[in-house]
Amino acid sequence: MAPKRKAPATAAAAAPAAKRAVKAPKAAPAASTARATKAAKVAPAAKAATTTKAKSAKKAPAKKASAKAPVATAAPKKGKAAPAAAPKAKAAAGAAPGGAIKRPVDEACAQGGVEVVKDYDTMLNQTNIQANNNKFYRLQMLVEPSSDKYLVWTRWGRVGVAGQCKMLGPFDSEEVALRTFSSKHKDKTGFHWDDRDKIEFKIGKYCPVELDIEAEAAKSPTKPSPKKAPKTQPSKLDPITQDLVSLILDDAMFTSAMADFEINTDELPLGQLTKQQVQKGLDILQDMVSEMKKKKPTQAKLEELSNKFYQTIPHAFGFSRPPVLGSLDAINSKVEMCNVLTDIEIAQQLQKDAEESEPDEDVLPEHPLDSKYAALNAELKLMEPTEKQYKVLLQYVNATKGWGQPLVNLWRGEGPGGDK
């Protein structure tokens, strides 16, 4: 389950995608489900799903529905992508003893035949707007099983660039290597490794960024050769609904949505940040809204919270100074960005569940789109233009001109057990 999103009282709402009512900032793209809700809320009694003409349309998927949920797409705005902090990593095949996921070795490490020791692996990040600092520090303890030698890998630099690296060691034992590893961690964060859960934001010090280790470990360092698509049953969905399901769970759409929020998917693979890390970012934005509600918001406090937010949700600004989030529009844009990150994680989990379902060996496997549709846990019924509800919603859309795009299709959503 996704963490509960906190909804800033005046600027934005970080609620589930189907019911979100975020005040859309000027800088925010049309891709988010928040924009979809804005278009649908004009007729709360008529609950339906909508799409508009847009081949490159982008959308953040909704959670598993327990009730009717409006789904919409609109033409995207072009956004310039900027790489984020978390670097890609080489996947370590297999699982660690005890069923734990093996932590992948940092991809910049050229030494082969090494593995990460236990959980001695951290990605640190630091932002200081006043000093124009926006940098990361990767720290890992490695072991070379063939020689039983231990190493400490470090890599650092400006967020968005590969940076510099250094391998320390070799060390004859884990204990000796751990002393070097812990010393580096203490120097960068101000906390001993054993106290890493107590780390708090402090100007001039690094904070850890929680990464989705399972997603990292599942990645392949080499691009697999294309395989012939397996034979499957024909899809039971009508062609228009097939297009909708493809859009909802489309990786290319996720990439476009993230690019609009200055998140480079080459450096921040989809789903790499944990839900908990994204929730921390939303909590900071809530604090920023509280500051903005004061009669006289202080620039120093907004700068401090901006530092904290960028340090929690890594951004890349090249060598430019990170901007202070000093307006409700700017804060709204980041709330929407965090919502997209969480929605992406939800959609990826849906796809994972569909892919891991065990097919019956005696029959052809289910069509991939049907499996994804089933994972949505909601029935979508395509509405006919002759239906009264369709005509009412069409009037509302034409009256508000919310998207500037013509309405093409509407779906009626029904949750488990016929909930409406």
Side-chain angles (χ1 to χ4, degrees):
M1 293 292 293
K4 183 178 180 182
R5 301 174 185 170
K6 297 198 174 182
T10 61
K19 298 181 180 178
R20 200 176 298 146
V22 180
K23 177 185 175 184
K26 295 179 181 178
S32 72
T33 42
R35 186 68 59 86
T37 306
K38 179 182 177 184
K41 70 178 181 179
V42 294
K47 301 174 183 177
T50 68
T51 59
T52 58
K53 278 183 181 176
K55 290 183 180 179
S56 57
K58 303 173 290 184
K59 176 188 169 297
K63 297 180 181 179
K64 292 186 179 180
S66 59
K68 283 185 179 181
V71 181
T73 58
K77 294 181 180 179
K78 296 292 182 181
K80 186 178 179 181
K88 295 183 286 185
K90 291 189 287 189
I101 299 297
K102 261 190 178 180
R103 290 175 173 265
V105 177
D106 184 56
E107 74 159 5
C109 179
Q111 184 159 337
V114 293
E115 300 175 357
V116 175
V117 179
K118 301 175 183 176
D119 65 344
Y120 297 127
D121 170 26
T122 186
M123 169 62 73
L124 305 173
N125 196 41
Q126 180 193 147
T127 302
N128 183 345
I129 293 174
Q130 188 173 11
N132 194 17
N133 291 337
N134 188 37
K135 51 191 180 179
F136 71 91
Y137 192 91
R138 188 70 187 262
L139 179 63
Q140 293 184 320
M141 188 200 298
L142 309 175
V143 63
E144 188 177 45
S146 62
S147 64
D148 204 27
K149 295 291 184 181
Y150 291 83
L151 304 157
V152 173
W153 167 259
T154 62
R155 183 162 67 93
W156 64 96
R158 187 85 175 177
V159 172
V161 299
Q164 304 176 62
C165 57
K166 186 174 183 180
M167 185 75 83
L168 306 175
F171 304 98
D172 293 330
S173 69
E174 179 181 324
E175 182 181 0
V176 176
L178 181 56
R179 285 201 291 267
T180 298
F181 178 92
S182 298
S183 176
K184 287 289 183 185
H185 186 270
K186 175 69 162 55
D187 178 56
K188 300 301 177 183
T189 66
F191 287 79
H192 293 288
W193 176 250
D194 291 340
D195 296 327
R196 59 192 180 279
D197 292 337
K198 301 177 183 178
I199 295 176
E200 295 181 352
F201 173 79
K202 184 179 179 181
I203 288 291
K205 291 294 182 180
Y206 289 81
C207 284
V209 176
E210 294 179 27
L211 304 181
D212 188 334
I213 300 302
E214 185 174 357
E216 280 287 271
K219 289 187 298 175
S220 172
T222 58
K223 196 171 184 178
S225 56
K227 295 181 180 180
K228 187 178 179 180
K231 196 170 183 179
T232 65
Q233 299 180 40
S235 176
K236 299 173 183 177
L237 303 173
D238 63 83
I240 298 176
T241 303
Q242 288 183 43
D243 290 342
L244 176 66
V245 174
S246 296
L247 177 65
I248 291 174
L249 301 174
D250 182 20
D251 283 341
M253 179 273 297
F254 299 154
T255 301
S256 297
M258 293 177 73
D260 276 336
F261 287 112
E262 299 182 331
I263 302 173
N264 187 307
T265 53
D266 290 333
E267 294 299 318
L268 180 58
L270 298 176
Q272 184 174 334
L273 290 179
T274 64
K275 291 178 289 187
Q276 293 79 6
Q277 188 72 17
V278 176
Q279 183 61 51
K280 288 178 183 178
L282 285 167
D283 291 342
I284 296 167
L285 294 172
Q286 173 68 47
D287 293 340
M288 299 192 77
V289 170
S290 298
E291 180 65 25
M292 290 295 295
K293 288 171 64 178
K294 295 179 180 179
K295 289 184 178 181
K296 293 184 178 180
T298 63
Q299 182 69 14
K301 184 64 175 178
L302 291 173
E303 183 174 304
E304 176 190 335
L305 291 171
S306 297
N307 283 331
K308 194 174 180 181
F309 176 74
Y310 294 137
Q311 196 154 305
T312 303
I313 308 293
H315 287 57
F317 303 102
F319 290 92
S320 300
R321 188 184 303 275
V324 175
L325 300 176
S327 69
L328 290 179
D329 278 353
I331 297 170
N332 274 349
S333 179
K334 297 306 178 184
V335 169
E336 198 168 356
M337 180 199 75
C338 289
N339 287 336
V340 169
L341 288 173
T342 302
D343 286 341
I344 285 170
E345 193 280 333
I346 294 170
Q348 287 190 313
Q349 186 60 48
L350 289 176
Q351 293 194 72
K352 181 181 176 183
D353 292 343
E355 290 167 0
E356 290 180 352
S357 60
E358 296 184 4
D360 188 335
E361 295 181 358
D362 296 330
V363 297
L364 287 174
E366 187 176 41
H367 192 281
L369 285 178
D370 289 13
S371 298
K372 293 177 179 180
Y373 176 78
L376 293 175
N377 200 26
E379 185 177 358
L380 298 176
K381 296 181 179 178
L382 185 64
M383 296 175 64
E384 295 295 333
T386 54
E387 293 183 46
K388 181 179 179 181
Q389 194 177 41
Y390 185 105
K391 293 177 180 178
V392 171
L393 285 173
L394 179 60
Q395 286 180 335
Y396 277 116
V397 171
N398 290 336
T400 57
K401 303 292 184 183
W403 294 327
Q405 295 288 337
L407 181 65
V408 178
N409 294 304
L410 282 170
W411 283 263
R412 182 179 291 108
E414 191 171 286
D419 292 338
K420 301 196 175 197

